[in-house]
Amino acid sequence: AGLFVAFVLALFLPAGTIAWPAGWAFLVLFFGFVVAISLWLLRFSPGLLVERMTGAENPDRKSWDSVFHLLAGIVFFAWLALMALDAARFRWSQMTLPLQGSGVILLLASFALFFLTFRENAYLSPAVRIQRDRGQVVVSTGPYRHVRHPMYAAFILYALGTTLLLGSWYGLLPALVLIVMVAWRSVREERTLREELPGYEEYMATVRYRLIPHVW
């Protein structure tokens, strides 16, 4: 509920109006997925749901990751506000409906990949930490057979899809900034996993790509 309020304020205060169909479409799609995945976790993976809700406060979280999350949160909500200013208040951008429709497709694709990642990895914490309290092991099945960080790969689709759906060309630059930040985090996270999680270095040798198969 708090997250929903934050998104509404970040989008519709800068927009200066609630008559913004693309903004509402994004909220319905995104929070429809949030509710659906939360209910799925509650039934099938309650331990992961607890980790998703409390892992960020765990004392063994890496200190650099706490700073990263603060900066990423600032950039993320500034990104939403910029797109609202662009597409709804000042209408700097002109984007066609087919392009906005392609944003819906990318968003739905990101949700599918997010779900496959949640289904496969019961240790998908929001914090960079080794979950010794939960018996963490290396996950190499499902989408992890193709890339080492499928959740970050899904975020790439999410960022691009959101920008297109909301109809903001100006949103592309901060979307790329967020993608670069996530890529940087994946590199730092792998250092922790390689050093502290048994078997991860062997997994890295088997699965060569971090985010995009045959690219990086």
Side-chain angles (χ1 to χ4, degrees):
L3 186 65
F4 179 79
V5 171
F7 270 65
V8 168
L9 293 177
L11 286 170
F12 288 96
L13 281 181
T17 179
I18 61 171
W20 183 23
W24 289 112
F26 167 72
L27 287 177
V28 168
L29 288 171
F30 178 64
F31 282 96
F33 174 72
V34 169
V35 170
I37 194 66
S38 298
L39 292 174
W40 185 90
L41 289 171
L42 183 63
R43 180 174 180 181
F44 296 103
S45 189
L48 176 55
L49 181 59
V50 171
E51 177 64 27
R52 296 297 302 176
M53 296 178 70
T54 64
E57 285 76 44
N58 199 289
D60 64 358
R61 180 183 190 177
K62 301 302 179 183
S63 57
W64 64 263
D65 190 50
S66 299
V67 176
F68 172 87
H69 264 261
L70 176 62
L71 293 175
I74 292 171
V75 174
F76 182 87
F77 282 101
W79 171 55
L80 293 182
L82 172 64
M83 290 189 291
L85 289 170
D86 173 20
R89 182 183 288 265
F90 297 116
R91 301 184 185 274
W92 297 321
S93 290
Q94 299 296 323
M95 194 173 291
T96 64
L97 283 176
L99 270 177
Q100 290 184 274
S102 69
V104 173
I105 295 172
L106 286 176
L107 267 183
L108 294 176
S110 77
F111 297 158
L113 184 51
F114 278 130
F115 171 73
L116 292 175
T117 306
F118 276 107
R119 187 181 67 178
E120 210 65 36
N121 188 355
Y123 309 103
L124 201 64
S125 178
V128 174
R129 74 181 192 93
I130 302 302
Q131 300 166 56
R132 297 179 179 87
D133 53 319
R134 302 183 63 228
Q136 182 176 359
V137 296
V138 175
V139 176
S140 58
T141 54
Y144 288 90
R145 293 176 299 175
H146 307 289
V147 292
R148 300 198 294 262
H149 301 279
M151 188 165 184
Y152 298 158
F155 179 79
I156 296 175
L157 297 175
Y158 171 84
L160 296 177
T162 298
T163 304
L164 291 175
L165 170 56
L166 293 180
S168 172
W169 291 113
Y170 284 87
L172 284 175
L173 180 57
L176 292 176
V177 170
L178 285 166
I179 290 169
V180 169
M181 292 177 72
V182 164
W184 178 87
R185 188 187 192 225
S186 74
V187 175
R188 290 296 302 267
E189 184 175 348
E190 284 185 346
R191 293 179 189 174
T192 299
L193 293 167
R194 189 173 65 245
E195 294 169 1
E196 302 182 30
L197 184 63
Y200 196 82
E201 191 161 6
E202 291 78 5
Y203 168 68
M204 290 179 66
T206 303
V207 179
R208 297 174 52 195
Y209 302 102
R210 288 189 176 95
L211 302 182
I212 305 174
H214 307 293
V215 177
W216 190 74

